[in-house]
Amino acid sequence: MTRQALWRATAGIIGLLCIVTVGLTLVPQWLHPPLSEDELQGVPGADVRIQLQQAQAQLQNNVRATLLQLTAGLLVTVGAAAAWRQAYVNRDGQITERFTRAVDQIGSDNRDVRIGGIYSLERIARNSPSDRSTIQYILAAFVRNHAPWPVGAPDGPQHPTESVDEHLPWMRVRAPDIQAAMGVLGRRVPSQPEEVMYLSRVDLRSVALRGARLTGAQFRHANLARAVLAKVHLEHADLNGADLRRAYLERTQLARANLTGAFLQDADLRDADLSYADLRGANLTGAILDRTVLTGALADRTTIWPSDVDAARRREFGVIEVDQGDPTRS
């Protein structure tokens, strides 16, 4: 506590004591004023007059006792409020200190230190709702900066690559800090409205995110080849031009997702929900569509289907076929 705060607290206590002293002196006499000489002379008998004076004094004492109880209750309440406020300030300061340390850690050159910082940010997000949006932004930026896939840049990669690298180590081995960051983002606490997660043009090949919550996330032109995304929530996600070849998407929620121009060759979409998803220009050659929900999904002449999914079967699925020049495409 600073000297100025100490003086303020002391002045406040002195002021409260003065108010209490004045109140204990004046309020009882105002509520139960003592009997005047004229009133006492009209009372027959000295014993009766003494009893009246004692009764009047008792009434004043009762008022004083009540005031003291109220004052004590007020002091307890004020003390509790002050203690809560101090605890809140201390907790806020601790969270700020932990937050700063965690951000420093994820900027470290040591991968193990970065992973520790990522999990520290997750704990802070759980305990501090006001920091969740900021932490999500920081972790998404971390993934974009440490696992870029700069499609369209002059020296950017071929997208999609000529083939899926089956020998590329899983993300947890190849880049455990990226796997950790994506895992934390996938465990984010639901919020209303849902914060948009920006993960476009990132290299997430062979990442494993079973059951993650990535609703509404942006993965435009991201490389998710051979990724394990089973049971992941990707409703309303933007996967325009994303590479999802050989991705494991069993029971994945892709309702109303934007999959225009996506590469889904040999993807496992068993029991996945693609209802009302936009599949115009998508390539699903060799994709497994057993029990896949395609009700209301949009497709056009540029959509490439597996060889066993003809027009009749697409109608059976409930796919809506539109022409490239159809105004309903927008």
Side-chain angles (χ1 to χ4, degrees):
M1 182 179 290
T2 62
R3 180 174 298 181
Q4 184 178 9
L6 182 61
W7 276 109
R8 288 179 179 175
T10 304
I13 293 173
I14 294 173
L16 180 60
L17 290 175
C18 292
I19 293 172
V20 171
T21 302
V22 173
L24 292 175
T25 302
L26 298 179
V27 173
Q29 294 185 9
W30 175 67
L31 293 176
H32 301 287
L35 297 173
S36 63
E37 291 294 333
D38 294 337
E39 290 172 331
L40 290 173
Q41 288 179 1
V43 178
D47 292 341
V48 177
R49 286 195 294 273
I50 293 173
Q51 290 177 359
L52 286 174
Q53 288 176 321
Q54 290 175 344
Q56 198 76 0
Q58 185 62 44
L59 289 173
Q60 292 180 353
N61 289 335
N62 291 341
V63 173
R64 292 190 184 94
T66 301
L67 289 175
L68 285 172
Q69 291 175 353
L70 292 174
T71 302
L74 178 62
L75 289 174
V76 170
T77 302
V78 171
W84 178 87
R85 173 63 180 171
Q86 188 61 43
Y88 177 82
V89 170
N90 292 340
R91 176 179 175 274
D92 192 57
Q94 291 173 357
I95 289 176
T96 300
E97 183 179 352
R98 289 168 54 200
F99 183 88
T100 303
R101 188 185 308 118
V103 172
D104 289 340
Q105 287 176 328
I106 66 172
S108 171
D109 293 331
N110 187 307
R111 180 176 290 174
D112 294 335
V113 174
R114 293 200 298 270
I115 293 173
I118 289 166
Y119 287 125
S120 294
L121 287 175
E122 181 179 25
R123 294 194 63 181
I124 295 169
R126 289 179 179 174
N127 298 328
S128 179
S130 61
D131 291 316
R132 287 172 186 168
S133 177
T134 303
I135 289 172
Q136 176 180 303
Y137 179 85
I138 290 172
L139 290 179
F142 174 85
V143 173
R144 293 195 304 270
N145 292 332
H146 286 77
W149 189 253
V151 178
D155 56 347
Q158 177 185 355
H159 185 81
T161 55
E162 185 175 346
S163 62
V164 177
D165 188 352
E166 299 288 346
H167 302 290
L168 183 71
W170 292 101
M171 182 69 78
R172 61 178 176 270
V173 176
R174 176 166 57 96
D177 51 344
I178 301 300
Q179 176 68 59
M182 289 303 303
V184 172
L185 289 172
R187 291 190 295 271
R188 60 181 177 165
V189 178
S191 62
Q192 291 297 334
E194 198 81 64
E195 294 282 345
V196 178
M197 192 183 302
Y198 297 98
L199 291 167
S200 296
R201 291 176 170 81
V202 293
D203 181 4
L204 295 175
R205 287 172 293 172
S206 302
V207 70
L209 297 170
R210 294 177 183 269
R213 289 190 67 263
L214 300 170
T215 304
Q218 290 199 4
F219 288 99
R220 297 174 66 87
H221 305 291
N223 194 336
L224 289 155
R226 201 165 157 259
V228 177
L229 302 172
K231 301 181 183 179
V232 172
H233 288 270
L234 284 164
E235 298 94 337
H236 299 278
D238 189 351
L239 291 147
N240 178 282
D243 187 351
L244 289 157
R245 291 174 299 168
R246 299 189 63 79
Y248 186 62
L249 298 162
E250 184 177 4
R251 300 178 66 182
T252 300
Q253 302 298 313
L254 285 157
R256 300 187 184 278
N258 178 14
L259 288 159
T260 55
F263 303 93
L264 289 153
Q265 294 95 312
D266 300 312
D268 188 342
L269 288 159
R270 284 176 291 183
D271 297 297
D273 184 0
L274 278 77
S275 55
Y276 303 99
D278 194 338
L279 294 169
R280 288 173 293 187
N283 189 339
L284 291 98
T285 303
I288 303 174
L289 299 178
D290 296 346
R291 299 176 302 279
T292 303
V293 179
L294 287 161
T295 305
L298 290 180
D300 61 13
R301 287 175 294 180
T302 63
T303 303
I304 304 175
W305 295 95
S307 58
D308 60 340
V309 180
D310 55 15
R313 194 174 178 194
R314 294 198 295 272
R315 285 194 297 271
E316 182 182 338
F317 281 147
V319 174
I320 299 174
E321 305 273 1
V322 296
D323 293 330
Q324 285 183 307
D326 195 313
T328 59
R329 294 187 63 198
S330 58

